[in-house]
Amino acid sequence: MYGTLYLCATPIGNLGDMTPRVVETLSQADLIAAEDTRNSIKLLNHFGIKTSMTSYHEYNKVEKAQFLVEKMKEGLNVALVTDAGTPAISDPGEVLVKLCQREGITVTSLPGAAACITALTLSGLSTRRFCFEGFLPQDKREKEEILEELAGETRTMILYEAPHRLAKTLLELYERLGERNLTICRELTKKFETVMPTTFSAALTFYGEERPKGEYVLVIEGKSLQQKRKEKQEAFWDLAIEEHMRRYEEAGMERKEAMKMVAKDRGVSKREIYQYMLDK
């Protein structure tokens, strides 16, 4: 009988956020796979957990995942922990989860702290619709593609960033997204936790004078639906109404329905389009 993979959320700062269920699971597991064993040993010692550990991180995630899967096939239960927060969130744990599912190994998650959700709830920005981007990629071309997508995003956006890249990332976001409201969260749940509602321009001024310290979560206001709708309509204004109509009609749409769609695209009444075509 196969063992189970347990995804164990650990505190992002305050050890009081460790759940009793995670403590029990880590104590009873046959093996703990940790992103950084040097960091995790402090957590285990604090809770008196003696379970053996092995490393599982970004640089060994493929071969080590195979090793861990073989152990679970032998019947061992493996607990996965990241340095802080929930495994598989912006973390190599997703590789192990995918492999376990492919091999028919049960995976279960023990909920707990996640920096992205903690920051979102503290941000004061809309929480109804949001997206998580994690760390922006280092590859220049890939980063440009993602920034282009984010520029039109209407949901609240959540990003992670390291202190030495914070100012550069804020500038890149400002240049591509324009002025936005955002909340910068630092050292969440720790002694020097900081939650700073601000704007891109104000944040750039602040960090031009202050040296960033600690780990950061950026929660950024999405583009308003009204603004996005307006931009979409404006994109049609350079297109002649006749050409606009022809596109719909060539796609098989009847003239009356085509006029209705053209009016909707351009943000005007159907009557205006009808009158224009009549005058023509």
Side-chain angles (χ1 to χ4, degrees):
M1 186 176 178
Y2 290 173
T4 298
L5 175 65
Y6 295 90
L7 306 178
C8 297
T10 54
I12 57 177
N14 193 317
L15 292 179
D17 294 333
M18 187 82 152
T19 70
R21 185 182 173 205
V22 169
V23 173
E24 181 182 8
T25 300
L26 293 178
S27 299
Q28 295 179 357
D30 298 298
L31 183 65
I32 296 173
E35 185 176 9
D36 187 336
T37 55
R38 296 166 300 179
N39 182 63
S40 294
I41 192 65
K42 301 172 186 176
L43 181 72
L44 300 190
N45 287 340
H46 179 82
F47 290 100
I49 298 169
K50 306 296 183 183
T51 308
S52 298
M53 277 195 298
T54 187
S55 65
Y56 176 78
H57 48 69
E58 183 65 30
Y59 303 104
N60 72 352
K61 61 185 179 183
V62 177
E63 61 269 25
K64 202 52 173 287
Q66 294 285 352
F67 167 81
L68 293 170
V69 163
E70 290 305 315
K71 289 297 180 184
M72 284 181 275
K73 283 185 173 181
E74 294 171 8
L76 272 62
N77 291 319
V78 175
L80 179 65
V81 296
T82 185
D83 277 351
T86 300
I89 299 293
S90 196
D91 174 84
E94 63 179 310
V95 174
L96 181 55
V97 171
K98 187 178 295 184
L99 186 56
C100 284
Q101 291 180 342
R102 195 168 70 197
E103 296 294 328
I105 295 170
T106 299
V107 181
T108 187
S109 181
L110 283 63
C116 53
I117 298 301
T118 304
L120 176 65
T121 58
L122 290 171
S123 70
L125 298 174
S126 174
T127 61
R128 190 178 73 84
R129 299 172 65 246
F130 60 91
C131 62
F132 174 66
E133 189 58 47
F135 290 95
L136 289 174
Q138 294 302 299
D139 180 80
K140 190 173 181 180
R141 183 174 179 179
E142 185 182 358
K143 184 193 289 185
E144 280 299 310
E145 290 175 351
I146 289 175
L147 288 173
E148 186 176 347
E149 288 182 11
L150 293 180
E153 179 60 68
T154 57
R155 295 170 294 180
T156 300
M157 297 161 275
I158 309 170
L159 281 75
Y160 289 162
E161 194 49 278
H164 63 281
R165 290 195 302 264
L166 180 67
K168 181 182 178 182
T169 296
L170 286 171
L171 180 58
E172 290 173 333
L173 289 166
Y174 183 37
E175 290 174 342
R176 296 306 299 271
L177 277 64
E179 185 70 291
R180 298 283 182 92
N181 293 317
L182 78 155
T183 298
I184 300 177
C185 299
R186 168 182 169 272
E187 296 291 272
L188 289 170
T189 77
K190 300 177 184 177
K191 183 178 180 179
F192 297 106
E193 174 181 282
T194 305
V195 178
M196 184 172 77
T198 183
T199 61
F200 280 133
S201 58
L204 285 166
T205 299
F206 180 82
Y207 287 110
E209 301 171 356
E210 295 286 333
R211 179 168 169 265
K213 297 178 182 178
E215 298 301 316
Y216 289 84
V217 184
L218 310 178
V219 187
I220 305 166
E221 177 183 51
K223 177 176 287 187
S224 73
L225 289 170
Q226 292 84 354
Q227 178 64 24
K228 190 159 187 176
R229 192 178 300 117
K230 181 181 178 183
E231 290 175 358
K232 186 177 179 181
Q233 290 169 352
E234 288 174 350
F236 286 109
W237 293 351
D238 293 331
L239 185 66
I241 292 178
E242 295 89 338
E243 174 63 21
H244 202 161
M245 284 284 296
R246 185 160 53 248
R247 290 186 182 185
Y248 281 119
E249 290 179 318
E250 288 178 352
M253 193 174 288
E254 292 183 1
R255 170 155 284 232
K256 187 176 180 181
E257 191 63 26
M259 282 193 288
K260 182 179 179 181
M261 291 303 299
V262 169
K264 182 178 179 182
D265 288 343
R266 303 172 87 93
V268 299
S269 70
K270 190 176 76 170
R271 185 182 183 86
E272 287 183 52
I273 302 299
Y274 174 79
Q275 188 62 51
Y276 176 89
M277 297 303 292
L278 193 64
D279 291 343
K280 283 289 181 178

